[in-house]
Every structure is written in C-alpha cells, then in structure tokens.
C-alpha cells in the first residue's frame, strides 16, 4: 500500500514503512555497486560520469516526487531524503546532484509550476535533464535578495542579464531555475523566478570552481547576456521569486541535513571497520575503551542528526510547520558530520591522513554543509526568528 500523509503520522521517526525501506535498500545497493567503485576516480577527475547520472535517472531517483503520470516515482519528500542520505554515505557529490534535482528544482515546479510547465519539464527532469538552481551571485550570498541579475520585459519575452556564481550541477544541467530582478525599484519584491533552458540564446555556463570537497559535483558560474526567456517561463508570478527562493530553500536544507547524516554514517562505518582490524599493543584498537567511547560519541551524534532530519522531512510531508526544525537539522547535521569525519581520521591514525584511505575525503566533503543553502549563521538566524517571533 502506498504511503499516505496520514499513515506516516504515526510512525516512529526511524521506523520506516515497507515502501520507504524498500526504496532505501534499492538506493543503498545501487550506491554500493555502481557508485562506490568510482568514488576515488570521480574525486580526482572532478567529474561524475554521464553513465552514472543516466543510471540515477533509470533508477527513478531524479524524479522522486514527480507524479507517475509525468514519468516520476510519485513518492514523498521523505523518500528523497532517504535517497540523499544513502547516496551521501558512499559519495556526497552524487548525493548533492540528486538532492538539488529533487529538493530544489522539481520541488519548486511541483509547488509553483503551471500545468504547461509541468507537462514540458517533468518528463524531461524525470528521464534525462539535470536541473540546477541559480540564486547566488558574486556579491550576494547570505544577502541573497541583493542580487544584481536583471530581467527586462521585451514584448512576448524577457531578457535576463547578469552573472550567477556557485551553481551546483551547472556543468551537466540542461535546465536552470534562475532568480533575477524585474523591478529593482521594488527591492526584493522585484525578484522573479525564471525557467531557463541551456539552449536559450544568451545563456552560457562559465568557469568551474576548483574546490576543497565534493569535487565531483560541478559548481560553476552562469553568464546571462540578454538571455531570451519566453513569458510562459516565469515560475509563479512576477515579483514572487523571493518567496519561491525562501520556501524552496526551507525545504532544500532538509536535503543538506540528509547529505550530512549520510556522509557522517559513511565515515563512521569506515572507522568501526578499521578499529576492529588495526592491532596495537597486541589487540584490535576497538578493545581500548577510549576508542570505544569515540565510536559511541560518533554514533550518538549521527543518531541525533538523523532524528532532526527525519522529523523535519516528516513534518513537511504531513503539512505541519517545519521551518525551525529544518534549519536545526541542517545546522546540527553539518556540525555532526564535521566532528564525525574528523574523529574517523583520528581513529585511522596516520593512514587516515592519506588518500590511501577514504576518510580524508569525507572530511573534505563535509565542510560545504556549513556553507551552502544558508551558512550556519543563517540557520541560527532562522531558528532565532522562529523562536522570538512566537514569543
Ligand atoms: C560548493 C557550493 C555549491 C553551491 N551551490 C549553489 C547553488 O546551486 N545555487 C546557489 O544559488 N548557490 C549555491 N551556493 C552558494 C551558497 O549558497 C553561498 O556560498 C552561501 O549562501 C554563502 O554565501 P557567500 O559565499 O557569499 O558567503 P557570505 O554571505 O559572504 O558569508 C561569509 C560569512 O559571513 C557570515 N555572515 C554573512 N552575513 C551575516 C549575518 N547577517 N549575520 C551573521 N553572519 C553573517 C556568513 O555566515 C559567513 O560565515 C553554493 C556554494 C558552494 C560553496
């Protein structure tokens, strides 16, 4: 039986329904069999092979919430969280590619897209088109609504001019949700969301960043030079882009929480395995109580991060308020990932500090969790506003 919002309501947070368990296990096996063997190579090449992206489409994880009749998996937001977690356990770069597609791009169209937009884009996004979400610019990150990208009305179309920075998936994407200001005199109320295809005239993908972590995930600049966008490609209404951005990012950051939970779990499993194998003073280091306590601390942090993340996702699926919980989940899970990945290196001793073992990569990959989709300070700001607003 398919999950309904009502049936999800009574589940303990980590007790998965049959559908959820089935989906999670399929993704877990996929990550082990198809992704694990490629992880090191993808990190070194700074690239996710197209065949692997196609395999993600074939598995149905690029359109988790897209309805069946539009080619998607017709599942819940919570399912996409499970997918991201399982992918990140093996490779946080593949996880963020799938995360952006589901929790930002598909999600925004599900909520604000017209029937015509859904009819054109969902079958593509579920089967072959990678999507990207373009809000940030060189001069506007945390202060996202200070964006300088301009949109101008030109009869039957708009022209977009400006630059975007840090755009995840941009190297692979065929489709971009781009925020630009249609009327700067109205401040943030001029910001409008546009659905932009890579082939639209005046659109180009620029320089790719050379990053500390999630190196296989592309992060690029976008160049818009009087980019011609049909009027029908406004998402929602003109001037409502700020609302779309706030609301999609509120949900998207649960996905980053899941990415960080999966990452921490992956690093933790390596640490447990190694602690059983590595012998010092004539016995496995797992027999030393100090090492056992480290593992117990790590497991506790992961459990707490997972509970926060699952709770935020389940609240969102049943239509209850989740904004504070989502910000807490991302804040806590990204800190937990940093701490767990760091301890995993320590448990590996000198070997953990080399590229011969996988834990150094988890440590590099985790840092971005405290930066993208709102820095940790921005999450604290959201939590504080929610608390004080309700006093
Ligand atoms: C790998 C990667 C992928 C990304 N992918 C995307 C993407 O797909 N789409 C997209 O639109 N963006 C993306 N981003 C951009 C990301 O969302 C921004 O980097 C982030 O919002 C922070 O903005 P900034 O880098 O300009 O830092 P800044 O805003 O300049 O922040 C610098 C520091 O100042 C602090 N700070 C700023 N303002 C305040 C304040 N009011 N109070 C307290 N502290 C403050 C911040 O917390 C931070 O510590 C990505 C970034 C990275 C690194």
């Amino acid at each position: 039986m398919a999950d309904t919002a009502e049936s999800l309501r009574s589940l303990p947070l980590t007790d998965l329904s049959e559908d959820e368990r089935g989906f999670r296990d399929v993704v877990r096996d996929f990550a082990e069999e198809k992704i694990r063997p490629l992880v090191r190579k993808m990190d070194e090449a700074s690239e996710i092979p197209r065949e692997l992206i196609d395999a993600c489409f074939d598995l149905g994880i690029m359109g988790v919430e897209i309805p069946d009749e539009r080619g998607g998996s017709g599942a819940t937001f919570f399912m996409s969280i499970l997918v991201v977690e399982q992918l990140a356990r093996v490779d946080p770069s593949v996880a963020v590619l799938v995360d952006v597609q589901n929790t930002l791009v598909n999600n925004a169209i599900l909520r604000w897209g017209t029937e015509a937009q859904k009819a054109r884009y969902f079958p593509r996004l579920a089967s072959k088109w990678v999507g990207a979400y373009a809000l940030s610019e060189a001069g506007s990150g945390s202060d996202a609504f200070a964006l300088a990208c301009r949109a101008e009305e030109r009869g039957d179309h708009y022209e977009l001019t400006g630059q975007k920075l840090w755009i995840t998936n941009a190297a692979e994407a065929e489709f971009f949700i781009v925020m630009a200001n249609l009327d700067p005199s109205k401040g943030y109320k001029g910001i409008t969301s546009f659905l932009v295809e890579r082939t639209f005239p005046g659109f180009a993908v620029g320089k790719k960043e050379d990053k500390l972590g999630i190196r296989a995930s592309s992060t690029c600049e976008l160049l818009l030079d009087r980019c011609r966008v049909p009027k029908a490609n406004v998402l929602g209404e003109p001037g409502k882009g700020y609302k779309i951005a706030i609301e999609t990012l509120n949900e998207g950051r649960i996905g980053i929480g899941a990415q960080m939970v999966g990452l921490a779990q992956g690093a933790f499993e390596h640490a447990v395995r190694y602690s059983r194998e590595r012998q010092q003073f004539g016995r496995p280091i797992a027999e030393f109580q100090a090492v056992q306590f480290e593992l117990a601390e790590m497991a506790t942090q992961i459990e707490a991060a997972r509970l926060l993340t699952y709770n935020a996702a389940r609240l969102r699926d049943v239509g209850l308020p989740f904004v504070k919980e989502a910000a807490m989940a991302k804040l806590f899970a990204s800190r937990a990932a940093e701490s767990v990945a760091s301890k995993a290196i320590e448990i590996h001793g000198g070997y953990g500090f080399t590229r011969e073992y996988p834990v150094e990569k988890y440590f590099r990959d985790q840092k971005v969790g405290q930066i993208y989709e709102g820095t940790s300070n921005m999450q604290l700001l959201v939590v504080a506003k929610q608390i004080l607003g309700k006093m």
Side-chain angles (χ1 to χ4, degrees):
M1 195 186 78
D3 293 325
T4 62
E6 202 47 46
S7 71
L8 291 174
R9 216 179 249 276
S10 57
L11 283 174
L13 288 177
T14 52
D15 183 13
L16 305 183
S17 72
E18 218 178 299
D19 280 358
E20 291 167 349
R21 221 178 1 254
F23 210 56
R24 181 203 58 188
D25 292 349
V26 165
V27 179
R28 191 185 166 100
D29 292 348
F30 171 79
E32 287 296 343
E33 287 162 23
K34 304 281 188 228
I35 304 177
R36 177 103 52 208
L38 302 176
V39 172
R40 176 61 60 199
K41 211 170 138 201
M42 291 193 296
D43 186 57
E44 283 167 4
S46 295
E47 198 173 28
I48 301 175
R50 183 67 214 192
E51 306 82 70
L52 184 57
I53 298 174
D54 288 340
C56 291
F57 279 110
D58 292 344
L59 195 65
I61 57 175
M62 295 296 270
V64 177
E65 280 189 279
I66 293 179
D68 301 333
E69 62 274 19
R70 303 248 194 238
S73 297
T76 57
F77 181 79
F78 185 77
M79 293 276 210
S80 49
I81 291 312
L82 289 179
V83 168
V84 173
E85 180 190 353
Q86 289 308 317
L87 296 175
R89 179 180 156 267
V90 174
D91 187 43
S93 288
V94 177
V96 77
L97 179 130
V98 173
D99 173 65
V100 167
Q101 179 94 359
N102 285 289
T103 70
L104 295 179
V105 177
N106 297 344
N107 196 8
I109 300 173
L110 262 177
R111 278 197 63 190
W112 288 282
T114 61
E115 280 311 303
Q117 290 168 347
K118 288 177 185 170
R120 174 163 176 79
Y121 293 118
F122 275 162
R124 291 171 170 83
L125 286 164
S127 66
K128 55 182 181 246
W129 276 15
V130 173
Y133 183 89
L135 174 64
S136 304
E137 298 180 1
S140 71
S142 300
D143 190 9
F145 299 149
L147 60 84
C149 190
R150 278 296 316 271
E152 284 176 293
E153 205 172 339
R154 294 269 186 266
D156 67 340
H157 67 277
Y158 293 102
E159 276 179 7
L160 270 51
T161 300
Q163 293 180 5
K164 293 285 170 187
L165 203 63
W166 311 115
I167 307 310
T168 299
N169 293 353
E172 302 83 7
E174 296 292 340
F175 177 78
F176 300 77
I177 297 183
V178 178
M179 307 288 172
N181 202 321
L182 195 51
D183 186 355
S185 72
K186 291 189 181 150
Y188 72 91
K189 289 192 173 168
I191 296 173
T192 304
S193 296
F194 297 90
L195 305 180
V196 178
E197 297 180 21
R198 195 184 185 102
T199 53
F200 282 177
F203 180 88
V205 175
K207 178 177 150 263
K208 184 168 156 183
E209 302 298 335
D210 185 9
K211 308 194 296 295
L212 168 72
I214 57 163
R215 291 181 60 79
S217 158
S218 68
T219 312
C220 311
E221 181 186 24
L222 303 185
L223 308 166
L224 299 142
D225 180 12
R226 297 171 60 201
C227 173
R228 196 184 163 101
V229 181
K231 277 252 167 91
N233 278 31
V234 166
L235 181 65
E237 287 165 46
K240 288 286 159 57
Y242 74 96
K243 188 172 154 63
I244 294 175
I246 289 173
E247 294 189 10
T248 42
L249 289 170
N250 281 342
E251 300 188 346
R253 62 179 60 117
I254 308 174
I256 303 304
Q259 184 200 24
M260 292 295 119
V261 171
L263 184 157
Q265 180 70 34
F268 174 71
E269 289 174 17
H270 283 293
V272 171
R273 199 173 312 125
Y274 187 82
S275 73
R276 288 194 169 120
E277 286 165 7
R278 175 68 174 169
Q279 302 257 341
Q280 286 292 279
F281 301 96
R283 48 190 161 138
I285 59 168
E287 287 186 17
F288 299 116
Q289 197 177 48
V291 173
Q292 292 172 4
F293 281 10
E294 288 281 35
L295 293 172
E297 291 279 6
M298 292 156 85
T300 306
Q301 291 200 342
I302 296 168
E303 185 75 4
R306 183 176 288 121
L307 290 171
L308 282 168
T309 304
Y310 283 14
N311 187 45
R314 291 217 192 272
L315 287 171
R316 185 273 189 196
D317 271 341
V318 297
L320 290 170
F322 67 89
V323 172
K324 181 182 71 181
E325 290 77 6
M328 286 174 165
K330 178 182 181 285
L331 177 74
F332 188 89
S334 59
R335 288 176 176 170
E338 180 172 42
S339 156
V340 169
S342 174
K343 286 196 166 86
I345 292 179
E346 288 172 35
I347 287 176
H348 280 73
Y351 297 103
F353 201 61
T354 69
R355 297 212 169 194
E356 221 175 295
Y357 282 79
V359 281
E360 61 82 30
K361 177 173 174 295
Y362 286 101
F363 187 70
R364 286 187 285 114
D365 286 352
Q366 57 75 24
K367 193 66 215 178
V368 75
Q370 295 171 24
I371 298 170
Y372 57 16
E373 296 200 34
T375 64
S376 290
N377 280 351
M378 293 301 112
Q379 306 311 316
L380 290 168
L381 211 66
V382 171
V383 174
K385 267 191 192 160
Q386 294 286 317
I387 297 167
L388 296 171
K390 288 193 175 132
M391 276 171 75

